[in-house]
Amino acid sequence: MNNNRRNFFRRTGLAGLMLAGGNIFKGFGGTVDDTGSTGRQLGKQAFNMSGYGAPKLDTVRTGHIGLGNRGPTHLTHASKLENVQIKALCDLRPERLDKAKSIIGTAHSPELYTGKVDAWKGLCERKDIDLVYIATPWHLHAPMALYAMEQGKHVAIEVPSAVTLEECWQLVETSERTKKHCIILENCCYDFFELLTLNMARQGYFGELVHAEGAYIHDLLKGNFSKEKYWHMWRLKQNYRNGNLYPTHGLGPVAQAMNINRGDKMDYLVSMSGNDFSMSPMAKDLASKDDFYKPYADKKFRGNMNTTIIRTSQGRTIMQQHDVSSPNVYSRIHKISGVKGSALKYPLPGKIAVNDNWATAEQYKAIEEKYTPNIVKKIGEMAKEVGGHGGMDFLMNWRLIDCLRNGLPPDMDVYDTAAWSAIAPLTEKSVASRSGAIDIPDFTRGAWKTNEPVDIFLTKGGNTKVRT
């Protein structure tokens, strides 16, 4: 191993992963940390990535790490876009690569990386890749993104993009130093109702925003205990942590509506978890029938419902909820509340209020006609046809490629990636301190005061075509 790699592994804590028998599950639980947070945010930015458009790429050459759950979706969408070349695929399991090759057909001839725990490094080191997609287990997201940026690549990372505050700061510092984009793949920012309400907020429909809500309430109890669904039971092991472990689906869309990191910032939070009424009993029950589950029978799991309240520097509030082990009807809760009106989705369909009354069907239609953003008008129907959570996945990937091709700032930058992902370890810390108030780091180091709101509505670009 050369000195550059040794230094990188020391900085990111990957030495154990690469050099100690491939123990990639070291460190589950105990992820709460605030290493160097205060000193870092008092420092200066190396470069402000907010509003930065990297040199445009006529053709975006991609590499894809992780082809289990979310990875194939991004690969499918990349294969459907003109001016995209898929150069490399990586997964530890060869059978996943076989399936991936069948997805992209004969239009691309990617090199395959597999069989070793560090095979992904070879993909990142290639000179013919511009963008690396990372869709691996959560605890590998940040280390892989850091290495890819060090190798001169833009990165697009599945959610959450980091599991500790230290990783969040490393992503920010590396992106600023290398001037490579570090983009969280938060698809819910591209759902159609969320885009509609974002445009409405920007156009002043709701007036001054005062409150927002988001959530991830999804019954994943059986899936988390599945032997097949998550490799080496990695997602079950994440549930040793007690907090809001998956905040970005609910937080991303409302953070954009509130111009978080661009005129406002999240200041502090308090978080409370109830007891675990589901995971531990299931672990014990499964262990009584199957020795495979015995290592999990005595583990302490997070509580069923976590509720977190965030206060912003401008005095707004955001409520976030997380429960993936109770038999609830799926809900992401998307609530926007202002001094002139509000919006609410979940239960479906989404609703818009005029003052304190829900809009009639005629009023809602008129609102849609007035506020549907250009990005939906241009690519919305195609996105629904291609698919991926009703089209929002394709819309996200199309928009990302279009930004890179046109040298435009991405809709989510590294400060969003860090701030939204940081909520998980911060809520752990609050829960562990009897729901004490916990400061949220300013990853922009004060630049939020002058950063401009992101242009997500396609006033520029939009020339990326879909393969026929």
Side-chain angles (χ1 to χ4, degrees), residues 155-193:
V155 294
I157 323 171
E158 260 300 339
V159 299
S161 297
V163 294
T164 70
L165 287 186
E166 174 64 19
E167 288 179 342
C168 291
W169 276 113
Q170 288 176 353
L171 291 175
V172 168
E173 292 164 349
T174 304
S175 178
E176 289 180 350
R177 176 168 47 79
T178 62
K179 296 185 181 179
K180 295 300 175 182
H181 293 307
C182 180
I183 301 153
I184 187 170
L185 289 168
E186 184 39 75
N187 56 346
C188 294
C189 291
Y190 296 88
D191 209 349
F192 297 88
F193 187 76

Side-chain angles (χ1 to χ4, degrees), residues 1 5-6 40 42 66 84 98 115 130 149 178 209 212 257 310 348 360 373 380 386 408 411 413 429 446 451:
M1 181 180 293
R5 284 188 180 175
R6 285 195 183 95
R40 279 168 157 155
L42 292 176
V84 171
D98 293 336
D130 306 301
M149 284 190 285
T178 62
L209 297 187
I310 300 167
L348 296 171
T360 64
V386 174
L408 300 173
D411 299 331
D413 59 35
K429 192 172 183 179
N451 288 342

